[in-house]
Amino acid sequence: MNEYHAANKKRWNLAAPQYAEKHDKKGTWRIAHRQPQVVFREQELELMGPVRKRDVCVLGSGDNLAVFALVGMGARVTSVDISSQQLKVARQRSTELGLAVHYVEADVTDLSGLASAAFDLVYTGGHVGVWVSDLRAYYREAIRILRPGGLLLISEYHPFRRIWKDQATALEVGYSYFDNGPHEYNTGEPLDRSSGGVVQYEFHWTVSQYLNAVIEQGAELVKFAELGDAAEGWEYAPLAGLPQVLIIAGRKSP
Ligand SMILES: C[S@@+](CC[C@H](N)C(=O)[O-])C[C@H]1O[C@@H](n2cnc3c(N)ncnc32)[C@H](O)[C@@H]1O
């Protein structure tokens, strides 16, 4: 694991209890397995098709809402995350809900613990790419673990939303769209903006880098879409009107 991912792993382990508390207040994790539409957009569900009795892997599973929704839809699901603490919270929740999930602690750029051609669907995104220093290695591994004909479905926070200064008054560019990083942040606590000793590294990939990383690693592009234009509650800059989500679906050659 490289130094960026090691720092990010530490950051996510520290942040896990705070995220758990936030999600407990929202409560979505309790209903995700019964109401997949609270987790996935209609277009994502259409692209996935029926997942009953299918082998599905979620990479960078985080809050595991996608995992719980997929289990509820009848899939056999493997949940992969770099953070043992994020996985610990998810494991407690799935036990409480009575959901069977296979949890694997791993870096998405090295899935050597998972067999090749083992999954029908790999789902990933919702702010995973931003933590990963090598997009090509990430998607290469995702495609390796897919069966021939299997689908890689990526649903990422749109890169156009990442370049702005944290100010509510007006949009002002804070980063070049083309500056991949690493962007180093040192915060007091994982989730606050004060300066301190928690180090984390973000990587800002462009739309074409996301797309090309999928195509170059051997998947045939099935769908590319940009969805939504609302402001999200946690965002500082006034981003309404910009695309929210980038959808890329690639199929491994049969
Ligand atoms: C913002 S969450 C995204 C997942 C989910 N959409 C969510 O909202 O919880 C980011 C997750 O990616 C994980 N992560 C970050 N870098 C990773 C890496 N290199 N390999 C595997 N997981 C990683 C973090 O531990 C965290 O749980």
Side-chain angles (χ1 to χ4, degrees):
M1 186 184 304
N2 67 35
E3 60 179 301
Y4 307 120
H5 290 193
N8 289 344
K9 178 184 169 95
K10 208 165 152 193
R11 182 265 183 204
W12 276 100
N13 278 338
L14 277 169
Q18 294 176 35
Y19 279 112
E21 204 182 315
K22 276 175 75 169
H23 277 284
D24 276 339
K25 279 190 193 134
K26 271 168 104 181
T28 315
W29 66 269
R30 295 182 180 281
I31 57 167
H33 63 296
R34 283 184 270 117
Q35 297 178 42
Q37 67 278 10
V38 300
V39 179
F40 299 119
R41 289 172 188 261
E42 203 184 313
Q43 292 90 336
E44 292 178 273
L45 291 167
E46 266 170 34
L47 284 163
M48 283 179 204
V51 295
R52 195 166 173 71
K53 299 224 163 114
R54 301 281 179 182
D55 294 303
V56 177
C57 186
V58 178
L59 297 177
S61 49
D63 55 25
N64 276 258
L65 295 182
V67 168
F68 297 168
L70 284 158
V71 174
M73 290 158 71
R76 292 183 287 256
V77 186
T78 297
S79 163
V80 175
D81 202 281
I82 202 167
S83 161
S84 57
Q85 297 308 303
Q86 288 278 84
L87 292 173
K88 185 176 162 193
V89 172
R91 194 175 281 112
Q92 284 163 349
R93 288 178 174 166
S94 56
T95 303
E96 191 177 326
L97 296 169
L99 304 177
V101 179
H102 178 218
Y103 291 103
V104 175
E105 185 182 328
D107 185 328
V108 292
T109 61
D110 176 10
L111 301 177
S112 44
L114 297 178
S116 299
F119 296 97
D120 303 295
L121 170 70
V122 171
Y123 181 85
T124 191
H127 310 264
V128 180
V130 71
W131 299 101
V132 176
S133 60
D134 186 343
L135 208 54
R136 289 194 180 102
Y138 171 20
Y139 296 154
R140 186 185 315 128
E141 281 292 78
I143 294 167
R144 179 185 64 76
I145 62 172
L146 273 176
R147 294 193 173 113
L151 191 75
L152 168 60
L153 183 53
I154 298 163
S155 173
E156 273 295 0
Y157 187 66
H158 200 290
F160 288 176
R161 296 176 94 95
R162 291 214 180 272
I163 61 173
W164 312 101
K165 285 190 178 165
D166 280 348
Q167 57 182 30
T169 43
L171 284 183
E172 192 182 338
V173 172
Y175 308 92
S176 160
Y177 175 66
F178 297 101
D179 181 1
N180 293 151
H183 301 286
E184 181 178 331
Y185 298 94
N186 302 297
T187 57
E189 291 286 329
L191 301 195
D192 75 18
R193 300 264 161 167
S194 67
S195 163
V198 182
V199 185
Q200 52 206 299
Y201 296 96
E202 292 188 7
F203 300 85
H204 292 184
W205 306 112
T206 67
V207 171
S208 58
Q209 285 172 323
Y210 275 109
L211 260 178
N212 288 325
V214 172
I215 297 165
E216 285 165 13
Q217 300 316 312
E220 190 182 313
L221 188 65
V222 171
K223 184 82 181 176
F224 170 61
E226 293 161 293
L227 307 175
D229 67 351
E232 296 188 23
W234 59 274
E235 292 168 331
Y236 287 74
L239 299 179
L242 287 174
Q244 273 179 287
V245 177
L246 186 69
I247 301 278
I248 303 171
R251 198 170 293 287
K252 185 170 179 173
S253 320

